[in-house]
Amino acid sequence: MSGVLLNKKIVLGVTGSIAAYKAADLVRRLQDAGAEVRVVMTQSACEFITPLTMQTLSGSPVAIDLLDTVQESTMGHITLARWAGWVLIAPASANTIANLAYGQTDDLLSALCLATESPVAIAPAMNNKMWQNQVTQSNLAQLSARGIYIIGPDSGDQACGEQGEGRLLEPNDIVDELSRIAVPARLQGKHVVVTAGPTFEPIDPVRFMGNRSSGKMGFAIAKAAAEAGAKVTLISGPVALMTPPSVTRVDVETAEQMHDASMRHTSDSNIFIACAAVSDYRPETYQDSKLKKTQSSQLQLKLTINKDIVAAVAAKKNRPFVVGFAAETDNVEQYAKDKLIAKKLDMIAANKVGDGLGFGVDDNALSVFWQAGSKLLPKAPKSHLARDLMTIIIEQYYAKNTTEST
Ligand code: PMT
């Protein structure tokens, strides 16, 4: 990702947190990456690190007060909001996060965030109980839904003596993450359709056949595609997840509904990513009323096969670039390659399920295969894997569609 931040104008917001001292190093790391940095501090940030330190390191005056006549006549909050190519708040305290969520403008940094049309990223830092608090999480969800990027936090020892999530990421990691987010939108003008989650196949009004897919992998892929600038349609089975920002969600329940939605939404799509765990079979008949327990010790359920969605999209005349998934418990590579060929896919991402990976959990590991190559994406949070997978998909999409420009 080197070079992404070259000549980028970054307003670095520093808020009141014991981690504010790391902001000094962050200025240097951003400058090393080629960025021009202006610093805005909240009053409480000044209790932890002096404006003079930040001014000396950034080489520019530090803005603090919203109502400072001198600053407002030079680099006021509106001017700064226009100047910024990016606003990065690190550390972002629980208070500033709440201010941003509610559109409060009682300090210069919050006012600037409301006024800017540029992307905003925040790197939270706080005590782990404050981080886990429902109020903080709901504020973050609101910010994320509005397209504000959340970088971190890390977990480990905290200044308060506790352990847990809420530590500011190290400056180098913040710069890496920002570089990753700020990559030019290579899928601008492209339509990506993603399937995610399980399908539920009804047996009777209260029972269904389903599986343990949480939708986390597919939702992370939809988010990564949107971050790459694509118009994204996310066809989701029943899951308990928030829709990622700028993503259009289509809710379905059964494999048949997912099939119909996929066929409809891929009519003008460039890339189709089938991450859903689709039920291969469904009960042959749906019982209108609840199945009653009988005296018999056995009950037989007759199943009938569902249509293969990803194969059906790949068989379309004007097919998009088609990426399938393979969830395997053994012999991952061979089964995945067989599916790549049998379903006529452009690419397949295989995951070995079990042992804390795959279904339901936050981490995964992927082996990605396409006709002329392969790549291993080692164990990582699904959000990271999704971005790395998107990078491979974008490369192979443009390798196949050589007439299109990135
Ligand atoms: O949702 P999470 O909890 O985050 O878990 C993620 C995941 C493990 C579900 C995901 O990474 C994954 O592996 N998804 C595919 C699971 C699956 O059904 O694999 P499969 O090997 O049975 O199917 C192969 C491919 O065919 C998949 O792309 C699947 O979407 C597709 N398929 C399968 C059956 C069917 N009727 N239609 C299909 O399109």
Side-chain angles (χ1 to χ4, degrees), residues 392-405:
I392 303 173
I393 293 173
I394 291 168
E395 276 164 16
Q396 293 310 313
Y397 169 77
Y398 284 112
K400 187 176 180 194
N401 299 277
T402 46
T403 49
E404 295 183 32
S405 58

Side-chain angles (χ1 to χ4, degrees), residues 213-215 217 274-276 307 309-310 325 339 343 351 360 382:
S213 169
S214 62
M217 191 70 239
C275 186
K307 287 179 197 150
I309 301 168
V310 74
F325 265 71
K339 282 178 185 167
K343 300 190 184 210
N351 37 203
K382 285 177 178 169

Side-chain angles (χ1 to χ4, degrees), residues 64 145 194 252 332 347:
I64 301 164
V194 182
V252 297
V332 178
M347 186 180 281

Side-chain angles (χ1 to χ4, degrees), residues 200-282:
F200 285 0
E201 310 298 327
I203 298 169
D204 67 18
V206 295
R207 301 185 181 91
F208 60 86
M209 277 171 55
N211 60 67
R212 296 180 193 282
S213 169
S214 62
K216 287 178 186 171
M217 191 70 239
F219 274 55
I221 290 170
K223 183 166 186 270
E227 283 170 5
K231 168 186 155 189
V232 181
T233 305
L234 172 61
I235 302 170
S236 176
V239 297
L241 296 175
M242 300 262 295
T243 310
S246 318
V247 165
T248 305
R249 175 165 167 180
V250 178
D251 285 314
V252 297
E253 193 167 303
T254 63
E256 210 164 6
Q257 290 165 357
M258 189 173 274
H259 170 271
D260 293 350
S262 298
M263 294 305 271
R264 199 165 55 249
H265 289 282
T266 49
S267 59
D268 69 342
S269 72
N270 304 90
I271 298 173
F272 177 64
I273 306 170
C275 186
V278 185
S279 181
D280 287 324
Y281 294 91
R282 66 177 184 277

